[in-house]
Structures are given as C-alpha cells and as structure tokens.
Amino acid sequence: MARGSRRGNKRRKSSDLRVMALVGAGVVISFVVYFITRYPGWAMAITIVLIAALSGGLFLRHRVIQARRLQFLAANAALEKVDLMTGPQFEQLVAEHMIAQGFRRVRIRGGAGDGGVDITAVAPDGTRCAVQCKRYNKSVGAPAVRNFLGALANAFTGHTGVLITSGRLTRPAREEATNARQRLLLVDRDLLADWLTGRFALLAKPAPLVEGDELAT
C-alpha cells in the first residue's frame, strides 16, 4: 500500500508540474502579445537586438570551432603524428581536413556496418565522395583496393572513391585502381604528407555533377 501511495504521489506531482508549466507558458505568451500590441516600437527594437545577439553568438561559435580545427590540423600535419594514431583518430583527421578544404556534408561512418566506407562527403565542385581510410605502417596491396571497389559498386554507385592511407600502395594496387570502371583517387603516404601540409588538394580539378547533385544544399 505504501509503495502504491508513493507512486500515486509521484504521478500527482508530475501532473501538477505539467499544469504549472502550461500556466506559466500561457502567462508568458499573454505578456508577450500584450507588450507587442502596446509597445510595437520597443518590441521591434528588442527583436532586432535578440537577432543580432544570436547571429553574433553563432558567428563567434563558428570562429571558435574553425580555430580549434586549424589548431588540430596544424598539430597533426606531420606523418610522425599520424603514425601514432588509431584508426578512428586517423578518420577524424581526414574528416577535419576535408571540412577545412571546403567539403560539405562530411560524415564519419567508420565502425561496424560501415559498408567498407569510412567517410562520405560532397566536394566543393559537387562531386559525391566515398572515402576509405587506412592508417597502416605496412603496404596496401591490390586486395584492399579490390575490396574497396566492391564496396563502392554495391552501395556507393555514382560516388568518386578516395582511398587515403598512411602506408604505401603497391604497384598491383595502383594497377587495380587504374583499370577500375569507377573513378578512384589514391592518396598514399607521400601524397598524404602533401595534403596535410596544404601542397595538395583533393579533387582540385572540376568533375562533372552526378545526377541529383543539382539539389544538394
């Protein structure tokens, strides 16, 4: 009985709180409507100030995020730092670098069930990209490239594949990419060093839009 009584009290308290919240909201709305009707000039001025404050806050937040991103990229621009990273850390570095270079809708997908693609993004020219990141100390061979091409064909048709690795690509791996039907950009250790230091840009040359990208925002 005591337990049932406590539950009943909790329900009543919760109901009372909801009623109080609704009453409070009604009072606030009534006051706002009255104030706007009675003092339209002041209401407009306050609205402008609030919008300006909100815009300024969002701008400052964007600048802070941008500054932190640049600091993170500068601190991890050397391959020696990359070699100490875990796989997820390397994916985060690649994603942050893509954002800094103007890629939109950058999404890290890495983990179980990622379909063989770690990052998806839209390049500044509208090209849809599917990225696989391999933080390797060893060489990347043809089987890895073949598997990535299979993932692209299965779930990412129409995307430009980008394989980024801290290791080195073997000659058969490069041949596998060259002979592929789907466009595949390879970024291995030397090119990665150039990319991290700003001497190389992914998809620097304009690529044709894929059907449906016209509506991308």
Side-chain angles (χ1 to χ4, degrees):
M1 293 295 292
R3 183 178 298 176
S5 177
R6 285 197 296 269
R7 289 179 179 174
N9 289 335
K10 287 182 179 179
R11 291 195 188 97
R12 283 193 293 273
K13 288 180 180 179
S14 177
S15 178
D16 291 343
L17 288 174
R18 284 197 294 268
V19 171
M20 291 175 61
L22 289 173
V23 171
V27 171
V28 171
I29 292 173
S30 298
F31 175 77
V32 170
V33 172
Y34 167 78
F35 188 84
I36 292 174
T37 305
R38 187 73 175 79
Y39 306 103
W42 277 104
M44 179 63 71
I46 292 173
T47 301
I48 292 174
V49 169
L50 290 175
I51 292 175
L54 178 61
S55 300
L58 292 174
F59 176 75
L60 288 176
R61 180 175 179 273
H62 173 74
R63 292 297 297 269
V64 169
I65 292 174
Q66 195 173 42
R68 288 177 179 174
R69 175 175 295 120
L70 293 176
Q71 290 175 356
F72 171 74
L73 294 177
N76 294 280
L79 291 177
E80 291 79 8
K81 293 290 186 68
V82 174
D83 290 338
L84 298 176
M85 289 182 174
T86 62
Q89 288 173 337
F90 184 51
E91 292 170 11
Q92 184 67 39
L93 176 64
V94 170
E96 294 287 356
H97 222 290
M98 293 179 76
I99 293 172
Q101 288 199 340
F103 283 74
R104 297 174 289 114
R105 286 154 52 184
V106 178
R107 178 190 169 201
I108 297 178
R109 298 166 42 90
D114 62 11
V117 170
D118 299 313
I119 300 171
T120 55
V122 178
D125 63 6
T127 301
R128 291 181 295 175
C129 302
V131 184
Q132 186 176 89
C133 305
K134 289 190 176 297
R135 214 293 299 157
Y136 278 8
N137 290 324
K138 58 184 180 181
S139 297
V140 178
V145 174
R146 198 177 303 121
N147 290 338
F148 184 37
L149 288 170
L152 295 174
N154 287 331
F156 296 91
T157 302
H159 288 66
T160 290
V162 184
L163 193 156
I164 302 178
T165 178
S166 58
R168 298 190 183 279
L169 291 154
T170 64
R171 180 177 297 178
R174 294 183 181 279
E175 292 175 352
E176 191 77 31
T178 301
N179 297 328
R181 293 182 179 180
Q182 191 159 351
R183 185 183 181 190
L184 180 59
L185 174 64
L186 301 178
V187 179
D188 70 348
R189 191 171 182 84
D190 293 335
L191 200 54
L192 175 64
D194 289 340
W195 187 49
L196 294 177
T197 53
R199 296 191 298 269
F200 166 74
L202 289 176
L203 298 172
K205 295 182 179 179
L209 289 177
V210 178
E211 183 179 355
D213 275 347
E214 297 87 346
L215 300 178
T217 56

